[in-house]
């Protein structure tokens, strides 16, 4: 397992996500939301915050002192941020409240890596039991936001389960100091440089072979070769973006730009929707169409892409996050991306049997070695300064990214205590402008989480020219739910 030594170094994905907090790109933040059937439990949330502060989420960055060495993670050394709000939230404003929490800045470099907040939920004015003060308390809402730099979905789930069940936390080790720290940095810089040198030699050999080999043979050598499948392909965990430096091979449509989206400029805000669905009905509909709740979710999102006007009558590429996290794994990010491209006729017929077979094959292919030598070694990119990395080609936003948590462990579902009605999970790009997302190719990001009798579909519209506002996203998602004849309640 990587990073088991005393110094826990930043992996490539950690580093790229961390740079987003200080650079021009929008920071990536993961959010978990719990809808409660009653008021939030303040004592339980204080206990949960203390548990999280003892574990792997509570980390900060120690900058390497030797050029070329990777930065190190260290215990945060800061107090946990817990915001138990006294002002209640109206039922109709739960989604707005959740988005406001997701917008609050985090600073993982300095140990402000996560934030826990809660509020009671009241019935809308005029609805609650004859009350004139805006309504009676009908539930609670709890939000946990966490910088993607310190935790992907699998790491976030693990930290929450450990904190809520009082299991032993994964403790971020204190880094070396003084001369030992310098020696450790020097050793890491040498290892990074050696990896780059190996890449350079392999690249030179590949170029030499290319000069001697006829084009037809090169095409044959470039064909994919099979490799071992991941341990568990059936339940991918969350990961909102690619961790590759080179642009994705997914097609990016640039036509049909709407004038209204352009007029919005930097004032535009990516719309978000959380949709609560009956889990039993989702499973029933999926089975009727030859699939599972996971394949229904993938098809739902791909069809939603068509509904936005993208890839009309064409196949839709979908990115499927898969966790490679091991037991007691201290890494912040450990997710890989499986890919499936769904034909337009399959989506039109809602053939979940085809989608099920295709996604199974895609999960099996995760970890398959790519032929040839990578265009740029990740070690080299991680060694470069921000000014250089910012000028490299940025990874494209997936046309559709479907991250299905399935039914998470009880420790995740019931982390805030009390009667949990539903759980939602989503990734946000804080402050992302229309120009930034347009340059990245736009797309839809969706997460699906099932807890008890409720499945929550959470969608972020990162396509300013086709999903210009919250009303557009809401209409598109509700219309698609209606096609499947699934009752849906927006938050």
């Amino acid at each position: 397992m990587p990073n088991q030594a005393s110094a826990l170094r930043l992996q490539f994905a950690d580093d790229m996500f961390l740079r987003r907090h200080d650079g021009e790109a929008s920071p990536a933040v993961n959010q978990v939301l719990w809808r409660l059937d009653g008021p939030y439990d303040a004592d339980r949330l204080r206990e949960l915050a203390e548990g999280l502060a003892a574990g792997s989420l509570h980390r900060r960055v120690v900058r390497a002192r030797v050029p070329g060495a990777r930065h190190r993670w260290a215990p945060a050394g800061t107090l946990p941020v817990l915001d138990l709000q006294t002002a209640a939230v109206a039922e109709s404003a739960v989604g707005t409240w959740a988005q406001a929490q997701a917008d609050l800045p985090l600073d993982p470099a300095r140990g402000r890596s996560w934030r826990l907040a809660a509020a009671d939920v009241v019935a809308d004015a005029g609805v609650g039991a004859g009350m004139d003060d805006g309504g009676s308390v009908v539930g609670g809402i709890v939000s946990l936001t966490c910088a993607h730099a310190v935790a992907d979905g699998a790491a976030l789930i693990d930290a929450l389960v450990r904190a809520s069940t009082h299991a032993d936390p994964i403790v971020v080790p204190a880094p070396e100091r003084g001369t030992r720290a310098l020696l450790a940095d020097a050793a890491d810089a040498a290892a990074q440089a050696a990896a780059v040198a190996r890449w350079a030699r392999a690249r030179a050999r590949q170029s030499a072979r290319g000069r001697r080999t006829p084009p037809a043979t090169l095409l044959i050598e470039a064909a994919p070769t099979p490799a071992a499948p991941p341990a568990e392909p059936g339940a991918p965990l969350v990961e909102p973006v690619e961790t590759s430096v080179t642009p994705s091979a997914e097609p990016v449509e640039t036509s049909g730009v709407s004038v209204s989206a352009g007029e919005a400029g930097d004032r535009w805000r990516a719309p978000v929707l959380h949709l609560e669905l009956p889990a039993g009905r989702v499973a029933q509909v999926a089975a009727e169409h030859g699939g599972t709740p996971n394949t229904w979710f993938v098809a739902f999102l791909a069809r939603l892409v068509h509904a936005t006007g993208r890839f009309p009558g064409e196949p839709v590429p979908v990115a499927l996050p898969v966790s490679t996290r091991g037991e007691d794994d201290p890494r912040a990010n450990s997710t890989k991306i499986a890919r499936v491209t769904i034909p337009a006729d399959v989506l039109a017929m809602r053939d979940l049997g085809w989608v099920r077979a295709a996604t199974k094959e895609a999960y099996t292919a995760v970890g398959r070695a790519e032929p040839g030598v990578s265009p740029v070694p990740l070690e080299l990119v991680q060694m470069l300064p921000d000014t250089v990395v910012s000028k490299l080609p940025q990874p494209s936003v997936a046309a559709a990214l479907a991250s299905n948590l399935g039914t998470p462990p009880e420790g995740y579902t019931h982390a805030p205590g009390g009667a949990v009605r539903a759980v939602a999970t989503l990734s946000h790009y804080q402050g992302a402008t229309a120009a930034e997302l347009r340059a990245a190719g736009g797309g839809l990001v969706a997460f699906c989480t099932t807890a008890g009798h409720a499945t929550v579909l959470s969608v972020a519209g990162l396509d300013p020219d086709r999903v210009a506002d919250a009303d557009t996203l809401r209409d598109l998602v509700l219309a698609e739910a209606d096609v499947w004849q699934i009752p849906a309640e927006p938050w």
Side-chain angles (χ1 to χ4, degrees), residues 143-159:
S143 166
L144 172 66
T145 54
C146 180
H148 207 312
V150 304
D152 61 9
L156 188 58
I157 290 174
D158 181 79

Side-chain angles (χ1 to χ4, degrees), residues 194-223:
V196 174
R198 287 193 298 271
W199 169 86
R201 290 193 294 269
R203 188 77 170 176
R205 289 193 297 268
Q206 184 184 58
S207 298
R209 285 197 303 268
R211 288 192 295 269
R212 298 192 302 265
T213 308
T217 306
L218 284 176
L219 290 175
I220 293 172
E221 288 180 351

Side-chain angles (χ1 to χ4, degrees), residues 85-484:
Q85 300 179 6
T86 56
V89 179
E91 274 189 294
S92 60
V94 164
T96 302
W97 181 90
Q99 185 62 57
Q101 301 309 308
D103 288 342
L104 293 173
L106 298 172
D107 189 356
R110 295 167 181 80
R112 296 293 183 183
S113 301
W114 58 275
R115 187 176 185 278
L116 190 63
D120 289 336
V121 176
V122 296
D124 292 327
V127 177
M131 294 182 66
D132 297 325
D133 59 354
S136 57
V137 174
V138 295
I141 178 73
V142 178
S143 166
L144 172 66
T145 54
C146 180
H148 207 312
V150 304
D152 61 9
L156 188 58
I157 290 174
D158 181 79
L160 273 166
V161 170
R162 290 171 186 268
S164 67
T165 61
H166 303 99
D168 291 337
I170 293 179
V171 178
V172 178
E176 299 92 339
R177 294 175 178 272
T179 302
R180 293 184 63 185
L182 283 172
L183 291 174
D185 283 352
D188 191 71
Q192 293 288 93
V196 174
R198 287 193 298 271
W199 169 86
R201 290 193 294 269
R203 188 77 170 176
R205 289 193 297 268
Q206 184 184 58
S207 298
R209 285 197 303 268
R211 288 192 295 269
R212 298 192 302 265
T213 308
T217 306
L218 284 176
L219 290 175
I220 293 172
E221 288 180 351
T225 54
E232 178 51 61
L237 292 172
V238 303
E239 167 61 58
V241 295
E242 289 281 359
T243 58
S244 167
V245 220
T246 54
S248 167
E250 296 164 353
V252 176
E253 182 179 326
T254 57
S255 61
V257 174
S258 127
V259 175
S260 60
E263 290 172 348
D266 290 346
R267 298 188 306 276
W268 183 82
R269 179 181 185 180
V272 166
L273 178 70
H274 302 284
L275 198 69
E276 190 172 333
L277 313 165
R281 178 58 181 160
V282 170
Q284 178 185 6
V285 167
E288 289 172 353
H289 289 81
T292 63
N294 181 52
T295 50
W296 165 83
F297 169 52
V298 173
F300 187 105
L301 185 61
R303 283 173 53 88
L304 205 60
V305 171
H306 270 169
T308 67
R310 193 170 187 184
F311 306 130
E314 300 175 12
V316 175
V318 183
L320 306 170
V322 183
S323 174
T324 64
R325 186 177 178 81
E327 186 177 357
D328 295 330
D329 192 334
R331 290 178 296 171
N333 288 275
S334 61
T335 302
K336 293 189 176 181
I337 300 291
R339 294 187 180 279
V340 62
T341 300
I342 309 175
D345 62 328
V346 169
L347 293 174
M349 294 185 295
R350 291 182 287 160
D351 181 359
L352 298 188
W354 191 98
V355 178
R356 186 176 188 179
T359 53
K360 182 178 180 179
E361 182 177 343
Y363 294 138
T364 301
V366 169
R368 182 176 295 169
E370 294 291 338
V373 182
S374 62
V376 180
L378 301 186
E379 293 86 356
L380 175 59
V381 178
Q382 198 166 351
M383 293 168 71
L384 297 174
D386 290 344
T387 53
V388 176
V389 172
S390 65
K391 293 179 172 58
L392 294 175
Q394 298 300 307
S396 298
V397 174
L401 188 142
S403 188
N404 185 18
L405 272 70
T407 303
E410 286 292 303
Y412 180 83
T413 300
H414 295 287
V420 176
R421 164 181 143 184
V423 182
T425 313
L426 188 58
S427 188
H428 303 265
Y429 289 97
Q430 290 185 327
T433 65
E436 178 187 349
L437 294 175
R438 192 177 289 121
L444 299 177
V445 170
F447 286 57
C448 192
T449 312
T450 297
H453 299 294
T455 291
V456 178
L457 181 66
S458 301
V459 185
L462 307 183
D463 191 339
D465 299 319
R466 299 173 187 85
V467 187
D469 51 42
D471 288 341
T472 301
L473 180 64
R474 179 187 177 108
D475 291 346
L476 288 169
V477 177
L478 286 176
E480 184 61 25
D482 190 56
V483 169
W484 298 87

